[in-house]
């Protein structure tokens, strides 16, 4: 491929991949609908000069994020077909191992993977083959364990038995699967506006003073109202302690489902949960014939440390822990209004 003037255009593309520039100057592989791959690998910062530095300046970052949103919308039909096929296999796998499915909708914006390395400074976790944002199973397990342990929903021995430890128990009884959206999600662009960037970069040279200029950093989020499919199962090979009631394993699984519903409702998943991101509403476990009614996540069990109850009530009323920080709070209208 050559640019004007006959000089070769140096791009890190595989041979045979189609290439064109759209109205924003973004290079896309014309035969790919995996938007996650485009976000991670096809950043429009390549110069014809092989010695030039790869970086985006000014409004190019926002143009890139908007192009990602448009591309996901344009490929929605094909992406949804892949997602439906994968979810059908995923649900069958969970059922075959005796696991439980739980469905919940994002109450606020969701972002996961901000710390991932990316030229835009902030990343996003994309499923490598499906091309949609998702929550890895390790993230889901970490959220539920944090709720059970740090927020006092379970005692220490029960936490170690369900989630495992490095000292005595080893692997825990519960296995958490990747959480996938049931429909191709809408993406929204959000912004974080740090005022003391120079201080964070060189705190010994730059005090955190008001004369420092804020530097807006924009990033992609999953829009509120997106339904995710969560799954919990017993670890393959999980065995009873000699003398235990056989119903103990089933009770452990039901406890895991209850803790998952509570954790998603009260503390949320992903990044920036302290300022309201990542919370879910209406977690509902898929019913099974003969199963007892699922516990309501809005009613924490009596095992929750009573010191946390005032904070939980504040969070239910819409007052997050970070509501006093206007610079970090997501800019959104009241729930139920236009977004």
């Amino acid at each position: 491929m050559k640019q004007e003037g006959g000089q070769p255009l140096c791009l890190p593309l595989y041979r045979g991949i189609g290439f064109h520039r759209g109205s924003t100057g973004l290079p896309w592989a014309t035969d790919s609908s995996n938007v996650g791959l485009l976000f991670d690998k096809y950043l429009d910062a390549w110069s014809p000069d092989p010695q030039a530095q790869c970086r985006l300046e000014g409004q190019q970052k926002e143009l890139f994020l908007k192009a990602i949103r448009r591309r996901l919308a344009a490929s929605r039909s094909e992406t949804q077909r892949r997602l439906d096929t994968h979810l059908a296999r995923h649900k069958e796998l969970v059922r075959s191992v005796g696991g439980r499915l739980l469905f919940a909708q994002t109450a606020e914006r969701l972002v996961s993977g901000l710390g991932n390395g990316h030229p835009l400074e902030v990343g996003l976790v994309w499923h490598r083959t499906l091309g949609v944002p998702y929550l890895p199973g390790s993230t889901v397990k970490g959220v539920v364990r944090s709720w059970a342990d740090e927020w006092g929903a379970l005692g220490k021995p029960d936490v170690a038995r369900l989630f495992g430890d490095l000292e005595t128990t080893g692997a825990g009884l519960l296995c958490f699967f990747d959480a996938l959206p049931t429909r191709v999600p809408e993406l929204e662009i959000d912004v974080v506006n740090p005022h003391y960037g120079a201080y964070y970069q060189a705190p010994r040279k730059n005090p955190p003073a008001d004369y420092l200029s804020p530097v807006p950093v924009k990033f992609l989020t999953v829009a509120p109202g997106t339904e995710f499919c969560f799954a919990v199962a017993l670890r393959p090979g999980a065995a009873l302690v000699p003398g235990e009631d056989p119903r103990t394993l089933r009770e452990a699984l039901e406890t895991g489902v209850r803790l998952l519903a509570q954790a998603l409702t009260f503390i949320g998943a992903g990044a920036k949960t302290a300022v309201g991101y990542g919370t879910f509403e209406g977690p509902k476990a898929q019913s099974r014939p003969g199963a007892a009614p699922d516990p309501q996540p809005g009613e924490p069990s009596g095992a929750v440390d009573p010191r946390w109850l005032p904070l939980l009530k504040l969070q239910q009323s819409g007052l997050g822990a970070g509501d006093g920080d206007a610079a970090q709070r997501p800019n959104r209208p009241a729930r139920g209004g236009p977004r």
Side-chain angles (χ1 to χ4, degrees):
M1 184 178 299
K2 294 185 178 182
Q3 62 172 345
E4 295 180 6
Q7 296 297 321
L9 183 61
C10 299
L11 292 170
L13 303 178
Y14 295 104
R15 293 184 184 276
I17 290 183
F19 171 84
H20 74 279
R21 284 189 181 275
S23 58
T24 61
L26 295 172
W28 298 125
T30 56
D31 55 352
S32 173
S33 61
N34 190 322
V35 181
L37 178 64
L38 299 177
F39 180 86
D40 286 337
K41 304 299 182 183
Y42 287 86
L43 183 64
D44 183 33
W46 306 105
S47 169
D49 180 4
Q51 304 300 322
Q53 186 177 8
C54 172
R55 61 183 304 172
L56 288 180
E57 298 289 354
Q59 294 185 342
Q60 286 181 299
K61 293 182 179 181
E62 185 174 2
L63 289 176
F64 177 78
L65 297 180
K66 288 181 177 179
I68 289 291
R69 292 183 62 201
R70 290 196 300 271
R71 186 61 185 232
L72 184 62
S75 62
R76 185 175 303 277
S77 177
E78 182 178 348
T79 303
Q80 187 63 51
R81 284 197 296 271
R82 291 198 305 265
L83 183 59
D84 289 341
T85 302
H86 183 90
L87 281 172
R89 295 197 300 262
H90 175 75
K91 293 174 183 177
E92 184 59 33
L93 170 64
V94 174
R95 294 190 185 101
S96 69
V97 297
R100 297 290 305 278
L101 296 170
L102 185 141
F103 298 87
Q105 286 191 351
T106 52
E108 305 295 347
R109 288 172 172 172
L110 170 70
V111 57
S112 179
L114 282 183
N116 289 359
H118 195 275
L120 295 186
E121 302 175 68
V122 287
L124 184 66
V125 174
W126 297 82
H127 196 282
R128 292 300 178 90
T129 55
L130 300 176
V132 294
Y134 80 116
L135 289 171
S138 57
T139 297
V140 179
K141 180 178 180 180
V143 169
V144 181
R145 179 169 189 141
S146 175
W147 171 251
D149 189 6
E150 298 176 16
W151 289 72
L154 286 181
K156 295 290 184 180
D158 291 330
V159 170
R161 186 157 185 269
L162 293 182
F163 301 95
D165 62 21
L166 298 177
E167 290 76 29
T168 58
T169 306
L173 293 177
L174 298 179
C175 177
F176 293 86
F177 293 76
D178 294 342
L180 295 163
T182 58
R183 307 293 299 174
V184 177
E186 296 285 345
L187 298 181
E188 296 181 351
I189 298 177
D190 211 329
V191 60
V192 60
N193 201 21
H195 285 65
Y196 306 122
Y199 165 71
Y200 296 138
Q201 294 175 5
R204 295 186 178 183
K205 296 181 179 180
N206 304 305
D210 289 338
Y211 57 75
L212 295 176
S213 299
V215 181
V217 177
K218 297 186 177 180
F219 57 96
L220 288 175
T221 66
V222 176
T226 302
E227 184 182 64
F228 277 76
C229 174
F230 296 83
V232 189
L234 292 173
R235 175 177 55 82
L240 289 169
V241 175
E244 270 190 322
D245 190 318
R247 291 176 295 182
T248 302
L249 289 180
R250 175 55 57 184
E251 292 172 356
L253 179 58
E254 297 303 325
T255 299
V257 174
R258 172 174 56 84
L259 293 173
L260 173 60
Q262 292 177 353
L264 293 175
T265 302
F266 293 120
I267 63 175
K272 298 174 69 66
T273 54
V275 289
Y277 290 74
T279 54
F280 287 76
E281 58 187 358
K284 183 178 296 183
Q286 193 170 77
S287 58
R288 297 178 294 105
D294 292 304
Q296 295 298 316
E299 301 174 1
S301 69
V304 176
D305 192 323
R307 293 176 297 174
W308 295 112
L309 293 179
L311 180 58
L312 297 181
K313 292 179 180 178
L314 282 175
Q315 191 168 22
Q316 283 183 292
S317 67
L319 299 177
D323 274 357
D325 187 354
Q328 297 293 325
R329 189 168 62 248
N331 183 17
R332 56 180 179 267
R335 192 177 298 177
R339 295 186 182 275

